[in-house]
């Protein structure tokens, strides 16, 4: 009988120890700091700039295709390919004594006839290109053309020579062209020759779409969305709890987003380590953009 009582007492002691351990474990999980489950980031003041981005190519503004205007026989070729000529220089002399001259300053890029060769009217005799008077021509679809106007400043980057230039739009076509069911227009920007730029090189053109200066910003990966696709963030609440805070967002650059309400400068926001980037839910995301933290500009 005594032995049975001892066993019962031992069983109760074991149950008590287990109960105490469970209580301690649950209390630890309930009261432990949220930092063990979440990371923190502070909202900060910054500038966000979004851009329109277009692709184009370098072209010469001055090019002369020299054609024969009548039946001629070339008696003398006064130029060589690669030679620089000036407007008024004699390019060809005919057996009849006619002088065929250049109308522009430029480089001879093609000679298409030989001496003593006869040429019928409309024959291409030579090509001359002025490589010192260059422009970038780029295409703009019908939805973005309204954002352009002549005189607007743009940035041009030429990947082949890794150089960036500033310029202004000097012309925009009024008549659209249709390709693959999409209507696009062409625009042109003057650029200066630096000795390395060649016609045909690809170019990237950027112009500012929108700008938000000295605004509260947060990384986009801390923003979450509810079932109505409304943005919110997580904050510390009372007794180490986590609360949901609805926010109003503005423009974003694909990395940072403007916070119009719901979070103040310097305020901490929580986010889970496994939270995925939600950039696709923001209408401005994906544009070519740049962020300047703390209002510093480059």
């Amino acid at each position: 009988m005594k032995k049975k009582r001892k066993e019962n007492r031992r069983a109760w002691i074991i149950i008590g120890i287990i109960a105490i351990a469970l209580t301690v474990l649950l209390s630890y999980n309930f009261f432990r700091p949220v930092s063990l489950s979440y990371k923190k980031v502070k909202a900060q003041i910054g500038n966000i700039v979004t851009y329109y981005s277009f692709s184009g190519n370098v072209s010469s503004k001055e090019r002369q295709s020299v054609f024969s205007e009548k039946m001629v026989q070339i008696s003398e070729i006064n130029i060589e390919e690669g030679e620089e000529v000036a407007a008024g220089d004699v390019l060809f002399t005919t057996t009849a004594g006619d002088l065929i001259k250049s109308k522009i300053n430029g480089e001879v890029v093609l000679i298409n006839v030989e001496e003593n060769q006869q040429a019928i009217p409309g024959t291409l005799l030579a090509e001359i290109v002025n490589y010192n008077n260059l422009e970038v021509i780029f295409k703009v679809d019908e939805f973005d053309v309204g954002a352009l106007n002549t005189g607007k400043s743009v940035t041009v980057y030429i990947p082949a020579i890794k150089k960036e230039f500033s310029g202004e739009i000097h012309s925009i076509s009024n008549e659209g062209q249709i390709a693959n069911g999409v209507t696009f227009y062409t625009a042109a920007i003057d650029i200066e020759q630096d000795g390395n730029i060649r016609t045909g090189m690809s170019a990237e053109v950027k112009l500012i779409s929108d700008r938000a200066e000295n605004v509260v910003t947060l990384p986009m990966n801390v923003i979450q969305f509810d079932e109505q696709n409304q943005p919110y963030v997580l904050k510390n609440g009372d007794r180490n709890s986590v609360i949901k805070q609805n926010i109003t967002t503005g423009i974003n650059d694909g990395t940072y987003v403007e916070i119009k309400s719901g979070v103040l400068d310097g305020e901490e926001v929580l986010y889970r380590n496994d939270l995925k980037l939600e950039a696709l839910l923001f209408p401005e995301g994906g544009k070519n953009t740049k962020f300047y933290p703390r209002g510093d500009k480059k």
Side-chain angles (χ1 to χ4, degrees):
M1 188 72 175
K2 289 183 179 180
K3 184 177 180 181
K4 189 174 182 180
R5 288 180 179 176
K6 284 185 178 180
E7 290 177 352
N8 288 340
R9 184 181 301 171
R10 184 180 300 171
W12 280 109
I13 291 173
I14 293 173
I15 292 172
I17 292 173
I18 293 173
I20 291 172
L22 288 173
T23 301
V24 171
L25 182 61
L26 291 173
S27 298
Y28 172 76
N29 285 330
F30 181 79
F31 291 106
R32 68 176 176 171
V34 294
S35 59
L36 294 179
S37 300
Y38 295 87
K39 287 187 175 181
K40 298 179 181 180
V41 64
K42 284 186 178 182
Q44 62 174 322
I45 297 295
N47 299 339
I48 298 178
V49 184
T50 63
Y51 295 91
Y52 288 102
S53 182
F54 307 101
S55 297
N57 295 92
V58 177
S59 180
S60 173
K61 293 179 68 176
E62 286 188 297
R63 176 185 291 267
Q64 181 187 358
S65 297
V66 183
F67 294 98
S68 59
E69 297 179 354
K70 58 183 179 179
M71 179 71 74
V72 296
Q73 183 173 358
I74 304 298
S75 63
E76 186 177 0
I77 299 176
N78 303 300
I79 53 174
E80 296 180 355
E81 287 190 7
E83 181 182 349
E84 293 286 338
V85 296
D89 285 354
V90 177
L91 307 176
F92 304 99
T93 304
T94 71
T95 54
D98 296 325
L99 303 178
I100 301 175
K101 300 180 180 180
S102 173
K103 296 180 180 179
I104 65 171
N105 300 331
E107 179 182 322
V108 179
V109 297
L110 174 68
I111 298 175
N112 199 42
V113 292
E114 298 177 354
E115 287 187 354
N116 300 317
Q117 178 180 336
Q118 286 190 338
I120 64 174
T123 299
L124 176 65
L125 305 178
E127 287 272 4
I128 301 171
V129 177
N130 186 349
Y131 290 111
N132 293 316
N133 193 359
L134 302 177
E135 64 183 355
V136 168
I137 297 177
F138 61 98
K139 293 181 180 180
V140 185
D141 68 39
E142 58 186 312
F143 301 103
D144 292 334
V145 71
L148 307 185
N149 52 64
T150 55
K152 192 163 190 174
S153 297
V154 298
T155 300
V156 179
Y157 178 69
I158 301 180
I161 59 173
K162 298 180 180 179
K163 285 198 173 182
E164 188 172 270
F165 306 86
S166 295
E168 292 184 352
I169 298 173
H170 69 73
S171 65
I172 305 169
S173 64
N174 291 317
E175 186 171 351
Q177 303 176 48
I178 300 176
N180 299 321
V182 178
T183 302
F184 66 89
Y185 299 81
T186 58
I189 307 156
D190 289 328
I191 59 171
E192 292 185 3
Q193 173 63 277
D194 73 343
N196 297 312
I197 305 176
R198 297 178 181 273
T199 58
M201 284 183 171
S202 60
E204 300 169 4
V205 179
K206 293 194 305 183
L207 66 151
I208 293 176
S209 167
D210 207 347
R211 184 195 299 269
E213 296 185 336
N214 298 318
V215 296
V216 177
T217 65
L218 279 173
M220 287 181 59
N221 65 320
V222 307
I223 311 300
Q224 301 185 58
F225 294 84
D226 60 22
E227 294 178 353
Q228 285 73 45
N229 201 29
Q230 296 301 311
Y232 70 91
V233 294
L234 301 177
K235 292 182 179 180
N236 275 322
D238 296 334
R239 297 183 179 180
N240 292 319
S241 63
V242 177
I243 61 173
K244 172 182 172 182
Q245 174 65 58
N246 291 326
I247 61 174
T248 303
T249 60
I251 66 172
N252 75 82
D253 63 6
T255 303
Y256 291 88
V257 60
E258 174 191 4
I259 307 299
K260 292 186 173 181
S261 67
V263 179
L264 301 176
D265 177 34
E267 193 171 2
E268 286 187 338
V269 169
L270 307 177
Y271 68 99
R272 296 185 63 88
N273 298 348
D274 59 351
L275 191 63
K276 294 182 179 180
L277 187 69
E278 302 286 357
L280 294 179
L281 295 175
F282 288 88
E284 295 295 329
K287 287 189 177 180
N288 199 352
T289 54
K290 189 174 292 184
F291 171 73
Y292 303 107
R294 290 289 166 192
D296 297 329
K297 297 182 180 181
K298 295 182 180 178

